[in-house]
Amino acid sequence: MWSLVIKHVIYSPKETAYRTIKSIAPRVRFAPSPTGYLHLGGLRTALYNYLFAKSENGTFILRIEDTDQSRKVEGSVLALIRDLEWAGVECKEGPNVGGKYGPYVQSERLPIYQDHITKLLDNGSAYRCFCTERRLNILRRDAIKAQRVPKYDNRCRFLSDQDIKDKIKAGTPYCVRFKLTSDCMSFEDLIYGGIAYDVSLNEGDPVLMKSDGYPTYHFANVVDDHLMKITHVLRGVEWQISTTKHLLIYNAFGWEPPQFGHLPLIVNSDGTKLSKRQNDVKVEEYRNKGILPLALVNYITLAGGGFDHVPGEGVRLKTMDDLADEFQIDKISSNPSRLNPDLLEECNRLEIKRQLKNPELSVQLVRKLQSLILETYPDQKFNVTEDHVKTVLNWAVSRISRLEELVTNKFGFLWILPTNEDIELDKELLHKLINNLQRLETFDETSIKDNLKLFSKENNVKFPELMKMLRAVLSGLNEGPGVAEMMHLLGKDQALTRIKSVAR
Ligand code: GLU
């Protein structure tokens, strides 16, 4: 179906549509339907609207489009707001914060749509359609059989006034349809350039108001964008095909439309489509797996463009303020946005580093790690004081990209006594070593290392063998960080406690 439709869309080279953006402060919106969780694509749309508003001193609005009540998922509005807040995308107007153009939930605006549908009925741009579901199904079935594009045949457009009156009197249910004209509407897409399309080629007159009194997406979307004084609509490219239809509705009201820009599809690094079933497409999933908000935000912008690209520049983590300062709508690419998961890890590592340098944020990071340690090792015996955890974090930051890695086997030695029953131990030697280490005054990496070298010589053990044994004693692992490095990290007390616990 899509391929049929797309054939009639005419693209013309991108002109500098941005230059035509008016100089007033923009009002933009993110208008999700509460049908489930916030996915990466939704966050991208919200984020780009937010950055655009922030970069131009404008207003970012959240509007809930819940006119399809059958698809509504309980709790999803709250989850959506929580995910946006987590990501640092702040709404200036919306159901959670109010504002002078509310209500911001479409199901609370039904009288407004009623009022506006009357205007279109009165000026002859819309009409009541009494066709039954059964008739529409037959039309659809026949068209498919004949390999035609299934579309409504606009029959009720031609009902007489008397017919209409009679049917209303008889209580026949009806919807309201828009009279499509065969104008080829065109607009300058802020991202794709010129778009022109004649909606009536592939569609019958679209429904604006359903028989249950709810508006359709197209109608409510146009009415609300106008009443909420939206200046720019940035949304996913899947809506591009609808924009010319929206323009016809704007015309019917005699309203000036906002400017439109459509964001390309987000795809995997190999160009394949992201599937909603893929778990990590959910913002919540990223959060649960230890991705920090600013890392996710940077990851999205790395795929989506909108910034000057400095060739050869590695990943530079930008704060929300940096992103807003550097954002340029005409730098958004119209090619599909390819995600590169390696960059997500890199962004997260950089974000951990950034947070560690900030006194307030580092306290939160330490608390998070402390609770992860306690959850993972409820019987832990070791030091999880703020100072120690921070030391470990500073050491670990070049080796990990998520805090969660620090409570996996590889780094478990930092928090628990290793279980290493199967290592061969020379207990006498270990006792000697305990005495030796106890006397060591400076417990830094170099002095520990020098001391161990000397100890191996004095006791006639090969240095690599001593190291192998000590590594197993300290971490229960065959490989990992250097022994002196580990001892330094654990601190004298902990290092000795471990050696003592196996030398008994
Ligand atoms: N409710 C639509 C959605 O779920 C909004 C599309 C638009 O931004 O116009 O994506």
Side-chain angles (χ1 to χ4, degrees):
M1 177 70 176
W2 177 253
S3 60
L4 264 176
V5 172
I6 201 81
K7 268 197 289 192
H8 302 285
V9 178
I10 305 160
Y11 290 85
S12 75
K14 181 169 167 180
E15 283 171 28
T16 45
Y18 181 66
R19 289 211 197 108
T20 65
I21 288 178
K22 294 149 229 132
S23 54
I24 49 164
R27 289 179 55 81
V28 296
R29 77 328 187 254
F30 173 49
S33 298
T35 53
Y37 294 89
L38 183 64
H39 286 77
L40 206 60
L43 178 58
R44 193 266 310 256
T45 304
L47 178 67
Y48 276 57
N49 275 289
Y50 172 74
L51 289 176
F52 179 55
K54 196 169 158 75
S55 68
E56 307 263 331
N57 265 327
T59 305
F60 172 75
I61 298 153
L62 173 66
R63 181 173 76 223
I64 302 298
E65 299 206 331
D66 61 346
T67 55
D68 188 348
Q69 293 279 307
S70 64
R71 291 180 60 226
K72 198 167 162 180
V73 172
E74 220 38 65
S76 55
V77 174
L78 285 179
L80 219 123
I81 292 172
R82 180 201 59 198
D83 286 348
L84 287 177
E85 277 174 358
W86 172 81
V89 175
E90 296 160 11
C91 314
K92 279 211 192 132
E93 291 172 32
N96 48 337
V97 282
K100 70 177 193 196
Y101 299 93
Y104 293 90
V105 177
Q106 288 187 329
S107 58
E108 295 167 21
R109 299 171 63 80
L110 300 185
I112 299 176
Y113 307 126
Q114 273 309 338
D115 203 35
H116 282 80
I117 205 66
T118 311
K119 289 187 183 164
L120 294 190
L121 283 168
D122 288 352
N123 76 12
S125 320
Y127 62 91
R128 294 178 180 82
C129 167
F130 300 89
C131 289
T132 58
E133 203 47 47
R134 188 160 168 273
R135 174 166 195 271
L136 298 176
N137 282 337
I138 294 172
L139 281 182
R140 210 172 295 135
R141 202 191 53 205
D142 289 352
I144 291 171
K145 246 194 221 157
Q147 298 193 321
R148 275 183 283 114
V149 180
K151 54 181 187 179
Y152 177 57
D153 60 359
N154 303 346
R155 187 171 76 166
C156 291
R157 221 199 235 216
F158 309 102
L159 289 177
S160 68
D161 287 349
Q162 193 53 49
D163 278 347
I164 297 170
K165 261 188 208 145
D166 292 347
K167 283 182 192 290
I168 294 177
K169 209 168 163 197
T172 316
Y174 64 84
C175 66
V176 179
R177 290 187 186 265
F178 183 66
K179 279 186 198 163
L180 278 185
T181 53
S182 55
D183 298 325
C184 181
M185 297 302 286
S186 63
F187 67 100
E188 191 66 24
D189 190 305
L190 295 166
I191 294 157
Y192 282 81
I195 303 284
Y197 179 55
D198 175 355
V199 189
S200 69
L201 284 178
N202 289 297
E203 275 185 56
D205 289 340
V207 176
L208 298 181
M209 280 297 248
K210 294 176 274 186
S211 53
D212 62 2
Y214 274 83
T216 54
Y217 154 73
H218 302 290
F219 184 58
N221 190 271
V222 166
V223 169
D224 287 349
D225 281 348
H226 174 75
L227 295 180
M228 292 180 183
K229 298 201 170 10
I230 299 302
T231 57
H232 300 83
V233 170
L234 295 182
R235 60 184 168 198
V237 70
E238 66 276 20
W239 300 106
Q240 193 179 53
I241 200 84
S242 303
T243 301
T244 44
K245 189 191 297 177
H246 296 178
L247 290 174
L248 289 170
I249 304 175
Y250 280 100
N251 276 354
F253 277 114
W255 292 340
E256 193 192 336
Q259 295 206 38
F260 294 92
H262 293 90
L263 301 162
L265 220 58
I266 300 185
V267 294
N268 292 314
S269 53
D270 60 0
T272 53
K273 236 181 115 187
L274 291 189
S275 135
K276 282 209 174 174
R277 266 167 284 138
Q278 272 170 293
N279 261 351
D280 65 348
V281 179
K282 279 187 201 158
V283 168
E284 190 186 24
E285 232 17 73
Y286 287 103
R287 176 173 58 236
N288 293 345
K289 286 190 182 148
I291 295 298
L292 298 165
L294 196 60
L296 190 61
V297 159
N298 272 264
Y299 176 53
I300 292 174
T301 58
L302 285 170
F307 301 87
D308 268 328
H309 177 65
V310 185
E313 186 191 52
V315 179
R316 178 167 62 89
L317 191 90
K318 297 172 189 158
T319 61
M320 253 332 174
D321 286 341
D322 298 338
L323 286 168
D325 284 349
E326 295 174 28
F327 181 70
Q328 297 168 54
I329 200 166
D330 51 353
K331 292 271 157 60
I332 297 178
S333 158
S334 58
N335 296 325
S337 313
R338 284 180 189 245
L339 292 172
N340 176 350
D342 292 344
L343 294 183
L344 177 61
E345 299 308 315
E346 184 57 17
C347 289
N348 214 47
R349 186 194 326 277
L350 292 173
E351 175 57 358
I352 294 176
K353 262 192 187 156
R354 184 188 75 96
Q355 293 200 1
L356 265 178
K357 283 197 201 122
N358 174 307
E360 252 169 62
L361 295 175
S362 71
V363 172
Q364 286 172 28
L365 209 58
V366 165
R367 296 226 169 100
K368 217 185 223 163
L369 183 53
Q370 282 171 319
S371 56
L372 270 177
I373 299 165
L374 296 176
E375 264 166 44
T376 319
Y377 310 108
D379 307 322
Q380 60 85 28
K381 295 198 178 61
F382 285 101
N383 184 358
V384 282
T385 58
E386 203 173 306
D387 275 355
H388 179 60
V389 171
K390 193 163 179 186
T391 311
V392 169
L393 261 176
N394 274 315
W395 166 82
V397 73
S398 52
R399 298 157 202 261
I400 56 154
S401 57
R402 304 187 189 206
L403 287 190
E404 282 70 6
E405 285 175 65
L406 287 174
V407 291
T408 58
N409 269 351
K410 192 170 161 200
F411 293 104
F413 73 88
L414 291 162
W415 324 113
I416 49 163
L417 277 181
T419 46
N420 38 23
E421 284 114 23
D422 51 348
I423 43 167
E424 278 178 39
L425 293 172
D426 180 341
K427 292 206 176 181
E428 200 184 325
L429 186 73
L430 284 179
H431 279 293
K432 274 190 198 164
L433 181 66
I434 292 167
N435 289 333
N436 171 294
L437 288 175
Q438 256 157 356
R439 286 195 303 271
L440 192 64
E441 269 169 24
T442 327
F443 208 74
D444 63 23
E445 218 177 299
T446 328
S447 28
I448 299 171
K449 201 167 188 171
D450 292 347
N451 188 60
L452 289 174
K453 276 195 179 142
L454 202 64
F455 180 85
S456 76
K457 256 191 209 148
E458 284 170 4
N459 292 282
N460 241 341
V461 247
K462 283 188 186 133
F463 186 66
E465 254 161 53
L466 178 67
M467 291 302 103
K468 193 174 162 207
M469 181 173 75
L470 281 177
R471 168 167 290 120
V473 167
L474 294 167
S475 70
L477 302 172
N478 296 326
E479 49 186 47
V483 168
E485 196 179 356
M486 268 196 280
M487 282 193 176
H488 169 61
L489 199 61
L490 291 167
K492 193 168 174 176
D493 283 353
Q494 286 192 42
L496 281 170
T497 311
R498 278 168 198 239
I499 305 174
K500 281 179 193 164
S501 78
V502 291
R504 251 184 267 132

